[in-house]
Amino acid sequence: MKTIAIGVVVFALATASASSQTPDEQARILRDFQQRVADYTQQRHTCLDVYPEAVTAAAPAPRIFTPPVAMVFRQLIAKALGDRDGIRTIRGVGERPHAVVLEPFPSTWLQDFPRVLQDALPPLPAPLEYRLIGHDLVLRDKEADVIIGVLRDGVGPALTVIR
C-alpha cells in the first residue's frame, strides 16, 4: 500500500511539472522547434535539390516534434481552440489512419489549414506548411509533397471545435 501511495505522489508531481512551462521555457522549446525546421530546410536546399529522389521512406526521418515541442504545440492548439465560442467542427478533421513521416501527403486531405491554428503556431519557412490529416497535425514540404513531421492527435476529438 505504501508503494502505491509513493507511486501516486511521484506520478502527480511529474504530471504537474510537465503540464506547463514558464514563458522562458516555452520560448526556448519553440526556438528549438524553429531550429530543427531550419535545419531541415537547409539540408533540403543543399542536398535534396541535387538528389530529389533522396526523400523516401528509407531516408532518416527529421526529428521535428520532440516530446517538449509536442507538449508546447498541444498547449498552443488547446489555447487557440479554447478561445473560440461555441462548438463547431473543423472541416476535414475526421477518422483516418495516422500520417507517416516521409510518406507522400495524401491529396484528398489537401484542404485549407484553419486560420485560428495558423495564427497560434510558429511560422514556418518556405516550402513548409502545417496541415491536418485526421486529428494529426503534420508538417508538409509542399515542393517535395512529403510529410516531414507528425504530431499525433495534435488536434484530438475533444479539441476539434472550430470552423
Side-chain angles (χ1 to χ4, degrees):
M1 187 67 154
K2 191 175 189 180
T3 305
I4 293 173
I6 291 171
V8 169
V9 169
V10 169
F11 178 76
L13 291 173
T15 304
S17 65
S19 64
S20 64
Q21 309 79 29
T22 66
D24 288 341
E25 289 171 328
Q26 191 176 60
R28 181 188 51 76
I29 291 168
L30 290 175
R31 278 193 306 273
D32 179 55
F33 165 79
Q34 289 174 320
Q35 183 60 51
R36 289 173 184 274
V37 167
D39 290 348
Y40 169 82
T41 55
Q42 180 62 32
Q43 176 189 14
R44 182 191 185 287
H45 177 71
T46 57
C47 178
L48 300 180
D49 288 345
V50 177
Y51 303 105
E53 65 278 1
V55 177
T56 66
R63 196 162 140 80
I64 306 287
F65 288 112
T66 62
V69 170
M71 182 185 311
V72 169
F73 265 66
R74 285 190 172 96
Q75 291 168 355
L76 294 173
I77 291 167
K79 182 179 181 333
L81 297 181
D83 289 344
R84 303 290 294 188
D85 293 329
I87 296 178
R88 299 181 193 109
T89 303
I90 296 176
R91 281 179 277 144
V93 172
E95 294 304 317
R96 182 199 188 283
H98 289 294
V100 178
V101 175
L102 296 181
E103 289 290 321
F105 188 87
S107 61
T108 56
W109 287 84
L110 193 57
Q111 302 165 11
D112 289 339
F113 190 72
R115 177 49 111 194
V116 69
L117 294 180
Q118 187 72 40
D119 293 343
L121 299 176
L124 295 172
L128 303 182
E129 64 183 358
Y130 295 110
R131 292 293 179 168
L132 294 174
I133 297 180
H135 299 294
D136 296 342
L137 173 70
V138 301
L139 290 182
R140 174 181 178 243
D141 181 331
K142 57 186 170 184
E143 289 178 359
D145 195 31
V146 68
I147 297 167
I148 65 151
V150 177
L151 177 59
R152 296 241 185 267
D153 295 319
V155 183
L159 298 178
T160 55
V161 295
I162 65 167
R163 199 178 291 245

